[in-house]
Amino acid sequence: MSEEKFESLSKTQSGSLGEPHTLKASPDFIANRSVAEDVYARSTRDRLGFWEERASELHWFKKWDGVLDWNPPWVRWFEGGQLNAAYNCLDRHLDGDRRTKPAVIFEGENGGSRTLTYEELYAEVCKGANLLKSLGVTKGDRVTIFMPMIVETVVCMLACARIGAVHCVVFGGFSAGALRERIADVQAKLVITTDDGQRRGKIIKMKGIVEEALRVGCDCVEKVVVVERRQSEQGGTGSGLQGKELAKREPQAADPRFVFYHDALRDMPVDCPAEVMDAEDMLFVLYTSGTTGKPKGVVHTTGGYMTGVAATHRYVFDLKEDDIYWCTADVGWITGHSYIVYGPLANGATVVLYEGAPDYPDKDRYWQIIDKHKVTIFYTAPTAIRSFMKWGLSYLEKHDLSSLRVLASVGEPINPEVWKWYYKYVGGERCPVCDTWWQTETGMIMLSPLAGLSEMKPGSCSSPFPGVKVNVLNRAGEVAEWGHNGYLTVPEPWPAMMRTIYGDDNRYVKSYWSHWPGIYFSGDAARRDQDGFFWIIGRVDDVINVSGHRISAMEVESALLEHPIVAEAACVGKTHEVKGQALVVFVTLRDKDAPKDEVIAELRQFLAGRIGAFARPEEIYLTNDLPKTRSGKIIRRLLKDIAEGRALGDTTTMEGSQVLKELYKG
């Protein structure tokens, strides 16, 4: 780690984030929670025993010989054990009442729905697995999945897992070039895609993107499976067109590698034995976003990953048999893998799957879905919540949200004011809010309250999950004093941890394990307060050095959100010949008619008073919106490009390019 990055974390106190009083769940919630009160004590007394118990809750064809083999940074969990991820998500639920229980409730953008029971999902996965086998896919082969948020995406992931193929899901918003890079890196034997995707009423030609990606440098691909979709007033439900009908729509010469999914599926048997997989066999490769340098193919294996995601999903959300669970992430990211597919289905949960945006056809779309399907657990991103705040309470008030009992957030640190709004207006002050911290690399939730058991502080991700140890270290590699910023690290192995970067062990060691021997470095800055609660400051690279003053971008954003006129805010640093770096902020206002010059002057003064004169921004941009990914994360690298006056970087994952065109300088 560079000297500059070490120096960028100061010994500051809590600053604008504050450390508010703790909150508890309601007495009724506490009285009915599923998590035992002594879970932290038990996991502290015998950490490996705790994880062995959690692993025992899965189905194993053969029990492991040992729980943990740890030779930093190389790890093996449950070595000698044999299982199958798809079997754990499907087969083991078919003997009892879960056979006819809804497994997946699909909701299309325009209101069309499709529900599959566990029995029906099992049949679809078996047919899909047999299709893959008929195309020559065998255990260990890599399969790239480039799909929207439809049922067939989940089916294809589980079909790969069933036969031991390694899936590599690529987010459906990526360009042909980004897709090509990932296909080539993992040397995929087969690609699965759709003819069309749908977003904000527009049709996305996903098959065309795949065709462009395969023109150069993807000789490894032998076949492409195309899921035909009927785009209808129901928003697309995954129903298939006949192959010849599709050919009429696409008169160009057919590539002999292309196979139409629904046509091919008709002749496939409805039974496919699950491949026996060793605990350390690869389950999937998932690429990080690649905003800096070559994307990293994060490798996750089977036994430890399934143990970690099933346990965290059940404990964090206080999962009950009749819950309707909705995570709004995309399956192209780790949150979708862990907390839409593998964790929930391993636990026999009913999962809502939504293809669409939170504000289409109107800004109450999420609340419509919660009301329609009586969602009980709602897991979304802080950026989405900030958008809800900006849009106003009228959209919530149209719908009955009383079914909700647990709220959670994921993807980035949640500001205290956003947390409070979420708790008060979405949850009606009756739902625990679980702010979760984890990463693609960790595979599972690492820091979070446990609903109904843990106390909560607005803006804090609370404490490590039972059986997990997390530290905040200072520059010397020592545990930082409370209230002092430092580096968020994990000193002991955990079951769902990544095993390596695909094809690049050296990069794996250098990126995550070279800072302190045997300690995982997350790349995030954090602190612990005097009550032991963890607060995520943001990426180490998000710390801005202004004339020797080190300022967290999140600290500035949190302060701005405390001003009543600010609906959303983002802060970046830009190069300054005198100060080294200068603060540049981007703000969306609640009142778009407010006088621009007065607002900018007021916000400059507000930040100076809230943090210090050194936090007065060099520039303030007022904008109707901020550039975001489809999953709701602000794309700060694009804001940095604007601040620095550079040409914009890759915008393929961005939701709505019009945002950049409308952005104006305040």
Side-chain angles (χ1 to χ4, degrees), residues 223-387:
K223 292 289 183 181
V224 179
V225 175
V226 181
V227 176
E228 322 93 291
R229 301 187 65 196
R230 180 177 59 211
Q231 299 298 338
S232 65
E233 291 181 0
Q234 285 71 43
T237 60
S239 300
L241 288 168
Q242 301 297 322
K244 57 184 178 181
E245 289 178 298
L246 188 65
K248 290 178 183 177
R249 292 199 310 164
E250 300 183 359
Q252 70 268 26
D255 187 322
R257 291 182 293 180
F258 281 65
V259 175
F260 294 116
Y261 179 83
H262 287 288
D263 277 353
L265 214 60
R266 286 195 190 93
D267 299 326
M268 295 298 147
V270 190
D271 182 59
C272 178
E275 185 76 22
V276 175
M277 306 293 288
D278 288 337
E280 285 298 321
D281 280 342
M282 246 192 294
L283 177 59
F284 64 86
V285 176
L286 183 61
Y287 285 84
T288 55
S289 59
T291 54
T292 57
K294 180 184 176 183
K296 292 177 287 190
V298 172
V299 172
H300 281 290
T301 54
T302 307
Y305 174 80
M306 290 298 296
T307 298
V309 296
T312 48
H313 178 257
R314 187 169 64 257
Y315 277 67
V316 169
F317 303 111
D318 185 49
L319 186 69
K320 299 183 184 302
E321 189 63 33
D322 59 352
D323 274 320
I324 307 297
Y325 166 83
W326 183 22
C327 172
T328 66
D330 192 287
V331 290
W333 308 118
I334 188 62
T335 305
H337 282 55
S338 298
Y339 298 109
I340 293 179
V341 181
Y342 289 110
L345 295 180
N347 288 328
T350 296
V351 179
V352 173
L353 188 72
Y354 174 55
E355 181 191 18
D359 58 349
Y360 186 88
D362 207 345
K363 294 180 176 64
D364 64 343
R365 188 68 181 104
Y366 276 13
W367 317 130
Q368 284 180 341
I369 293 171
I370 291 172
D371 191 352
K372 177 179 179 179
H373 297 292
K374 303 305 174 189
V375 171
T376 58
I377 302 172
F378 183 55
Y379 193 24
T380 195
T383 301
I385 303 168
R386 288 195 291 269
S387 294

Side-chain angles (χ1 to χ4, degrees), residues 510-571:
K510 183 177 180 181
S511 297
Y512 303 104
W513 299 93
S514 62
H515 310 296
W516 300 281
I519 295 176
Y520 171 83
F521 173 50
S522 70
D524 280 346
R527 75 172 186 284
R528 292 186 72 183
D529 66 24
Q530 59 185 337
D531 299 320
F533 282 69
F534 282 78
W535 299 78
I536 305 301
I537 307 301
R539 299 295 294 171
V540 169
D541 290 340
D542 289 341
V543 177
I544 303 163
N545 191 330
V546 180
S547 298
H549 298 283
R550 285 98 181 169
I551 307 170
S552 160
M554 185 189 174
E555 189 171 11
V556 175
E557 292 166 10
S558 295
L560 283 167
L561 285 167
E562 293 174 10
H563 195 290
I565 201 171
V566 175
E568 201 166 26
C571 175

